[in-house]
Amino acid sequence: MDILALLYSLLVTVLVVWTLFLGYQMFLTQQALSEVARRGILMMEMAGGLTVDIQNRLAEDLVARGLERTQITGTPAPVAFRGDIQLRLQYPYRFFGTSISPFEIEVPLGGIRNSISLKNPR
């Protein structure tokens, strides 16, 4: 009987550790996408929108972080003075070859949701 209890507790421990590992990996992915999105929105504010050069620089930064399949979309340049600028990074999150769900980062004035988009403050 003690062996059975030990096996059950070992199984529960492995499941808890596995879940924590998955959550931590998703958190690191979200942090990397958020950093790139913040840098991108600053470049877009200076250039007046999303240009091909900014898109290429963001793509290079994402590839350097191991996020190769990220789609980058945003408000194209030129944007009127004080106009809204939005940047969207979509990353198809995979865990050991299994697609969990599209992991999109949109950072509106804070908070994580299923999609994150960065908008410039006025």
Side-chain angles (χ1 to χ4, degrees):
M1 189 60 139
D2 291 332
I3 272 263
L4 196 55
L6 178 67
L7 288 176
Y8 283 137
S9 64
L10 184 63
L11 178 64
V12 168
T13 303
V14 167
L15 287 175
V16 167
V17 169
W18 181 264
T19 304
L20 290 174
F21 177 72
L22 176 62
Y24 182 68
Q25 193 172 33
M26 290 181 79
F27 171 75
L28 291 178
T29 302
Q30 186 274 332
Q31 286 299 104
L33 289 172
S34 291
E35 285 179 30
V36 172
R38 285 187 184 102
R39 190 171 312 122
I41 204 73
L42 290 174
M43 289 190 285
M44 287 173 63
E45 285 179 345
M46 298 297 281
L50 185 63
T51 64
V52 176
D53 181 47
I54 292 172
Q55 196 167 7
N56 290 338
R57 287 168 61 186
L58 293 177
E60 289 171 4
D61 193 9
L62 288 165
V63 168
R65 294 170 184 258
L67 305 172
E68 295 89 13
R69 301 176 314 270
T70 306
Q71 294 177 351
I72 303 168
T73 55
T75 309
V79 175
F81 182 69
R82 301 199 85 164
D84 285 340
I85 293 175
Q86 187 171 6
L87 176 64
R88 178 181 223 152
L89 305 176
Q90 295 176 299
Y91 178 71
Y93 188 76
R94 288 191 164 291
F95 189 68
F96 289 114
T98 305
S99 179
I100 293 176
S101 71
F103 194 64
E104 299 177 10
I105 294 292
E106 249 182 283
V107 186
L109 301 169
I112 298 176
R113 1 181 181 172
N114 194 15
S115 348
I116 300 179
S117 170
L118 200 55
K119 283 185 129 179
N120 62 329
R122 290 188 187 215

